[in-house]
Amino acid sequence: MKIGFIGLGNMGAPMAVNLATAGHDVTGFDLVTDCPDGVAKADTATQAVTDADVVITMLPNGAILRSVADEIIPAMKAGATLLDCSTVDVESARAVADAATAAGLLAADAPVSGGIGGAAAGTLTFMAGGSDEAFANVSPLFDIMGQKAVHCGPSGNGQAAKICNNMILGATMIATCEAFALADKLGLERQSMFDVVSTSSGYSWSMNAYCPAPGIGPESPSDNDYKPGFAAELMLKDLRLSQQAAESVDAPTPMGERATELYKQFVEDEDGLGLDFSAMLPRFEKQTRG
């Protein structure tokens, strides 16, 4: 396929490289970052999408997505597919999909899970919203960039799945970090804690696959001074999106709301900016109940 790729940051660049390595003709554009090897450079976003069969966007937020969509949709050829892999608010995802459809395009929103490592390794999980036709058109690309893609229903449902998943992840990581800090104060060794919890009812991805305690369980960012695999500020972004969505449909999410408050404090008022979201553990280690 001829692919236009808009947004070549930490996630977009390796995704674009994997597509190019697989033999696709990839042209990229980013206002800040240079194109990686194997990806042709466009001088403008509209140049990147001209004659493309699929245009992929990986952008920071809904406002930027809407702005870029307004620019590129008129330049895309009829019948092409706009595939947005950003994590944005559901309303923006649906608005962009509606605009693309009105212009004679297919549209899918497919935010990802798996972080920078998953983007580089081609092991991302995609949560996709959009029509059956749009999903089918881009499925071969999902197979290159990731290991799994789930069609979650109409436009916007990919974003809904992502923010629900990450609301669970944020709350679960906080609980895991709290438990390790409590275990420390109770004199329970971390390895013993892990051996029990990872094989009993406290099992979770946060504990078993991404343990926040250094030297415990599989290697994770905690073993690398909490350099981010998934930065705390990105978790805060996703938690805020979850609360925005919850407010829009009058859904009670007290745990999600509290997790948002804690990550806001960690990122904006403490030293969490630039650290992995699992760095909540040393945060709790330093604190007392009062």
Side-chain angles (χ1 to χ4, degrees), residues 214-227:
I216 306 296
E219 187 174 353
S220 70
S222 66
D223 299 306
N224 192 28
D225 296 324
Y226 296 99
K227 292 178 182 176

Side-chain angles (χ1 to χ4, degrees), residues 167-258:
M167 186 172 72
I168 294 171
L169 177 59
T172 304
M173 180 56 78
I174 288 172
T176 303
C177 293
E178 286 181 348
F180 268 113
L182 174 60
D184 290 345
K185 291 180 172 62
L186 293 174
L188 174 62
E189 291 186 356
R190 288 181 171 182
Q191 186 63 54
S192 297
M193 161 86 167
F194 178 84
D195 290 344
V196 170
V197 174
S198 65
T199 57
S200 61
S201 57
Y203 173 103
S204 71
W205 188 87
S206 296
M207 174 65 75
N208 291 56
Y210 207 90
C211 185
I216 306 296
E219 187 174 353
S220 70
S222 66
D223 299 306
N224 192 28
D225 296 324
Y226 296 99
K227 292 178 182 176
F230 184 47
E233 57 267 30
L234 295 180
M235 173 55 76
L236 176 59
K237 170 194 168 183
D238 288 358
L239 287 168
R240 282 173 163 158
L241 289 174
S242 76
Q243 296 313 291
Q244 179 181 338
E247 289 174 7
S248 72
V249 294
D250 197 24
T253 54
M255 293 294 289
E257 184 176 1
R258 183 58 180 143

Side-chain angles (χ1 to χ4, degrees), residues 47-72:
Q47 182 183 347
V49 308
T50 301
D51 294 327
D53 302 302
V54 175
V55 172
I56 301 174
T57 50
M58 179 59 91
L59 299 167
N61 58 55
I64 292 174
L65 171 63
R66 287 177 186 247
S67 176
V68 169
D70 287 344
E71 180 181 356
I72 65 175

Side-chain angles (χ1 to χ4, degrees), residues 72 107 154 166 269:
I72 65 175
N166 279 20
D269 302 327

Side-chain angles (χ1 to χ4, degrees), residues 105-116:
L105 307 173
L106 297 172
D109 57 289
V112 305
S113 178
I116 297 169

Side-chain angles (χ1 to χ4, degrees), residues 81-186:
T81 302
L82 176 58
L83 172 61
D84 178 47
C85 293
S86 318
T87 297
V88 301
D89 59 287
V90 175
E91 182 181 355
S92 290
R94 290 178 174 159
V96 167
D98 288 345
T101 301
L105 307 173
L106 297 172
D109 57 289
V112 305
S113 178
I116 297 169
T123 58
L124 296 170
T125 294
F126 292 85
M127 295 144 272
S131 68
D132 291 341
E133 184 180 3
F135 183 77
N137 279 1
V138 295
S139 287
L141 305 184
F142 292 147
D143 292 339
I144 294 166
M145 296 185 289
Q147 61 183 352
K148 186 174 184 179
V150 179
H151 190 195
C152 301
S155 295
N157 280 21
Q159 300 296 344
K162 172 68 182 288
I163 61 177
C164 288
N165 178 79
N166 279 20
M167 186 172 72
I168 294 171
L169 177 59
T172 304
M173 180 56 78
I174 288 172
T176 303
C177 293
E178 286 181 348
F180 268 113
L182 174 60
D184 290 345
K185 291 180 172 62
L186 293 174

